[in-house]
Amino acid sequence: MTAAHSPAEKGMPVPARDFTERLVLHYPGLHLIGAVLLITTALWIGAKMEMTGEGPLWPWRAPVQLTALWSVTLMAFTIFAGSRHPAIEVMFGGLDRAIKLHRVTGPLALGLLVLHLALLVPLFIAEQQPVAAIFQPFREGSPLLFTVAILATYGFFALGLAAYAARLSYEWWRALHVLNGVLFAVAMGVSLIQGSAAAFEPLRLWLAVLTFVGVGSYFHHVVMFRRVGPKFVYRVSRVVPRGPHGFDLEMLPASERMSYAPGKFVFLTIAEGNRWSREMHPFSLSSTPVTREARLSIREVGGFTSRLRRLEPGHPVQLYGPYGGFTLLATVGFERIVCIGAGIGIAPFLGMLQFERTDNDQRPIAVTYVVHDRAHAAYHGELEDVARDVERISYRLWATAESGRLSARDLLDGIGDLNKTAFMICGSASFAEELSRQLRESGVPWSSIFSEGFAFR
């Protein structure tokens, strides 16, 4: 009889532990979410212990109140994570990870709001109140605050559906997020005036803190970021076509030069007459900080990138940043680095590899550039030159039209200790997610996988 072995003994990931490890490593702000939700829950319990006379808490009143409180707590955290303040970025291991967590907590807050409304229905039935009062604003005899709460709820649903279901331009999507901040302030105002928060001072104080954090973060994002954010004025030196749909925007500093680690990204806006455009988009730096010239490698996908492609030499642009944690600094402690860039996802690696020409690091770096076909391999020549000049850098081009989809098996041939090898992946969100999953199933620890997917929303 053959002895049974657990998944861990076979070297395979244990599902529950593996899931937890991945969450902790790829969403560094999870401990903050846990802490704020725990505080909210503990203070709600304190309010229930002190106050009586509301009616029975179970089975409906307690979950109704908790889902509402958890929802507004997550809303505050979501706005905080997306505030773009450099000090906040550090808490999440980079703004890219903060935004990734922001994309999780936002829909979760909306889901809790849906659950809150669903639980209100049996509560109103049990208390023999008209269910229509939950959904109908301006109902006769209904308090004004209740009408405001209903309208704010409808606003959250409308903006949430538009932002996550509709195919919107970046600027329209961003405008919807700005309106979400206004609705958050309204919702918190209602929470502070009526209900459990109004009657129990510690809970009301905590909600006031969450309101201050959320509104303050919103104000920084919408108003102060353009005024006090880290920004540098550059001038276009040239625009270099790169393949059918790509180009390089090369710029020189007008005065002060930006200092950055290779792999960081910036927000870019351009001059329009005597003012700066309201449009602002994120792009990865593909240059090395050793040179004065900054370069953005861009794929033309919309109106803003089309305008960038037509910029004339000398045109002023403004760079906000640098931001992000997708740099070689994250791989300190690993003995070997494997870089995979798909399409324009090769951009951050271009700067890293150019920097390696002047760096004293001795670690071997293997680079795979994934494209549909060779006609789309716009940076093939540049990567070949770097690999030829730096002996410890190896490079290969992977054209899916010829070789099929890249898999983890194609990356792991000849690699020794997986615990000492860092895998850096950049491309579409689906590409990064799928390849990361395959690597983990092949025995690569989550702590060795660093990914950046193009889903900045």
Side-chain angles (χ1 to χ4, degrees):
M1 180 180 290
T2 304
H5 295 280
S6 69
E9 290 172 326
K10 292 180 180 180
M12 297 170 61
V14 178
R17 188 174 65 198
D18 190 64
F19 177 74
T20 303
E21 180 187 0
R22 183 185 185 188
L23 284 179
V24 171
L25 288 169
H26 289 265
Y27 298 97
L30 277 177
H31 64 289
L32 294 176
I33 294 180
V36 295
L37 287 176
L38 183 62
I39 293 172
T40 297
T41 306
L43 290 175
W44 174 84
I45 293 172
K48 300 302 106 180
M49 292 175 63
E50 180 173 295
M51 293 160 25
T52 57
E54 272 192 323
L57 284 176
W58 305 99
W60 306 117
R61 190 179 302 277
V64 161
Q65 293 179 357
L66 281 172
T67 49
L69 288 171
W70 289 340
S71 180
V72 294
T73 300
L74 285 178
M75 287 178 191
F77 185 91
T78 300
I79 299 173
F80 175 74
S83 69
R84 299 183 183 176
H85 195 285
I88 294 173
E89 181 189 27
V90 177
M91 300 180 186
F92 299 93
L95 184 58
D96 47 346
R97 289 189 172 188
I99 295 299
K100 186 184 293 185
L101 191 59
H102 166 103
R103 292 199 307 268
V104 173
T105 56
L108 185 57
L110 196 61
L112 285 169
L113 193 55
V114 171
L115 183 58
H116 168 71
L117 287 179
L119 292 169
L120 273 174
V121 172
L123 177 62
F124 271 50
I125 292 174
E127 295 184 349
Q128 299 182 341
Q129 297 185 55
V131 174
I134 302 172
F135 306 100
Q136 182 181 338
F138 306 108
R139 184 179 174 86
E140 186 177 352
S142 177
L144 177 61
L145 280 177
F146 204 78
T147 293
V148 171
I150 293 173
L151 293 175
T153 300
Y154 285 155
F156 279 125
F157 289 152
L159 294 179
L161 288 173
Y164 290 98
R167 296 181 63 86
L168 300 170
S169 68
Y170 180 83
E171 283 305 307
W172 272 106
W173 169 85
R174 187 172 180 275
L176 291 179
H177 272 53
V178 168
L179 290 177
N180 266 322
V182 175
L183 291 176
F184 166 78
V186 172
M188 294 304 287
V190 172
S191 299
L192 286 167
I193 295 172
Q194 70 174 19
S196 301
F200 186 61
E201 192 62 34
L203 180 56
R204 185 166 68 172
L205 178 61
W206 172 241
L207 289 180
V209 170
L210 292 178
T211 303
F212 176 80
V213 169
V215 173
S217 299
Y218 167 79
F219 183 75
H220 178 270
H221 186 167
V222 175
V223 179
M224 299 304 296
F225 176 69
R226 283 181 174 267
R227 293 169 171 78
V228 301
K231 57 187 176 182
F232 302 83
V233 177
Y234 276 66
R235 294 187 182 275
V236 174
S237 55
R238 60 175 181 160
V239 176
V240 182
R242 292 282 193 172
H245 305 291
F247 63 95
D248 287 343
L249 185 66
E250 298 181 353
M251 304 153 289
L252 287 169
S255 55
E256 186 181 0
R257 171 184 169 189
M258 177 187 290
S259 177
Y260 58 92
K264 294 272 189 178
F265 70 88
V266 295
F267 291 93
L268 177 139
T269 187
I270 62 177
E272 291 181 335
N274 295 323
R275 65 182 182 85
W276 295 105
S277 169
R278 294 303 303 171
E279 282 197 80
M280 179 183 292
H281 294 254
F283 299 100
S284 291
L285 287 155
S286 60
S287 52
T288 170
V290 173
T291 63
R292 283 181 57 80
E293 191 171 60
R295 179 179 70 167
L296 303 177
S297 295
I298 301 170
R299 182 170 179 261
E300 188 175 350
V301 292
F304 186 76
T305 51
S306 296
R307 291 167 62 196
L308 294 180
R309 189 165 197 160
R310 297 192 299 269
L311 291 180
E312 297 291 334
H315 194 102
V317 298
Q318 205 165 42
L319 305 181
Y320 288 78
Y323 290 104
F326 191 73
T327 72
L328 289 176
L329 296 173
T331 67
V332 172
F334 291 92
E335 297 179 0
R336 179 185 178 91
I337 304 169
V338 177
C339 302
I340 309 101
I344 201 62
I346 198 66
F349 297 121
L350 297 174
M352 295 181 199
L353 298 175
Q354 290 290 352
F355 182 75
E356 290 304 299
R357 281 177 156 164
T358 58
D359 192 23
N360 292 323
D361 196 344
Q362 298 301 310
R363 296 181 297 175
I365 300 177
V367 184
T368 300
Y369 181 20
V370 183
V371 294
H372 175 66
D373 54 46
R374 292 179 180 271
H376 289 82
Y379 298 95
H380 177 58
E382 178 177 333
L383 292 166
E384 277 192 322
D385 289 343
V386 174
R388 190 181 304 114
D389 294 345
V390 185
E391 185 177 351
R392 61 189 176 85
I393 295 178
S394 61
Y395 163 70
R396 66 172 167 175
L397 176 67
W398 187 279
T400 57
E402 302 171 8
S403 307
R405 290 181 63 86
L406 180 73
S407 68
R409 187 188 318 162
D410 301 312
L411 296 169
L412 298 177
D413 288 343
I415 292 194
D417 191 343
L418 296 180
N419 292 300
K420 296 180 180 179
T421 303
F423 293 83
M424 302 187 73
I425 308 166
C426 187
S428 68
S430 59
F431 173 84
E433 179 74 19
E434 172 62 18
L435 193 54
S436 296
R437 182 188 63 78
Q438 290 184 23
L439 287 170
R440 182 65 192 104
E441 290 177 352
S442 300
V444 179
W446 281 122
S447 57
S448 300
I449 302 173
F450 305 85
S451 66
E452 185 171 76
F454 293 150
F456 197 78
R457 294 183 180 185

